[in-house]
Amino acid sequence: MFRQIFVNLPIQDMARSQAFFKSLGLSFNPRFTNEQGACLEIGENFYAMLLVKPFFQGFVQKPISDAHQSTEVILALSVDSRAEVEEVVRKAVAAGATRIPEPKDYGFMFQDGFADLDGHQWEVFWMDESAAPAQM
């Protein structure tokens, strides 16, 4: 199958976006980061390319969606515990993110989320797969 994923996200302000994600404890690959784009390292083989809007527009034929007005994608990130879900969302909100919606506890899964500074929706969740229903 596939080896890596690079999600490309349009952003308004490179310095502001980098500072936000660094406050969550994430880092950027300097080999693939400049004033037009930054390679956010989210996990092993999982990256988000933060591209300033004029540069992003060069890759697409359609207008760029305004993530503050509409949702095109939800970026869901798995973590190791409920406490880690709460900590990531707390850090994001402290750094200027908007919390969306209220946390949900399904017993076997706990999720919470935020919209980043550019309106992109991130969901953070913990799941005990052994306790999940046989079919969802």
Side-chain angles (χ1 to χ4, degrees), residues 1-130:
M1 294 240 74
F2 303 104
R3 299 182 337 223
Q4 299 175 314
I5 185 169
F6 288 83
V7 176
N8 293 269
L9 299 172
I11 62 166
Q12 192 67 39
D13 183 307
M14 181 60 72
R16 184 173 167 240
S17 291
Q18 284 190 24
F20 173 79
F21 286 105
K22 286 177 181 177
S23 76
L24 301 183
L26 298 173
S27 60
F28 291 87
N29 183 329
R31 282 186 67 203
F32 303 107
T33 298
N34 61 31
E35 64 281 346
Q36 296 186 79
C39 182
L40 176 63
E41 297 177 324
I42 298 170
E44 185 176 344
N45 297 321
F46 181 27
Y47 310 93
M49 293 301 299
L50 307 181
L51 307 176
V52 291
K53 287 183 179 182
F55 187 63
F56 186 96
Q57 188 66 65
F59 294 98
V60 298
Q61 301 301 308
K62 298 185 282 183
I64 298 172
S65 299
D66 180 350
H68 292 288
Q69 300 298 317
S70 61
T71 303
E72 184 177 34
V73 65
I74 299 171
L75 301 149
L77 304 175
S78 167
V79 294
D80 291 329
S81 69
R82 177 186 176 126
E84 193 172 355
V85 170
E86 293 168 341
E87 180 65 11
V88 170
V89 173
R90 184 196 64 71
K91 285 180 179 179
V93 170
T98 303
R99 186 158 182 214
I100 53 167
E102 291 300 313
K104 295 183 179 106
D105 190 343
Y106 299 100
F108 70 96
M109 181 172 70
F110 178 76
Q111 68 186 55
D112 202 350
F114 61 91
D116 68 21
L117 305 177
D118 290 285
H120 304 295
Q121 189 170 336
W122 298 80
E123 176 183 287
V124 185
F125 71 95
W126 162 83
M127 180 170 50
D128 178 358
E129 289 187 42
S130 67

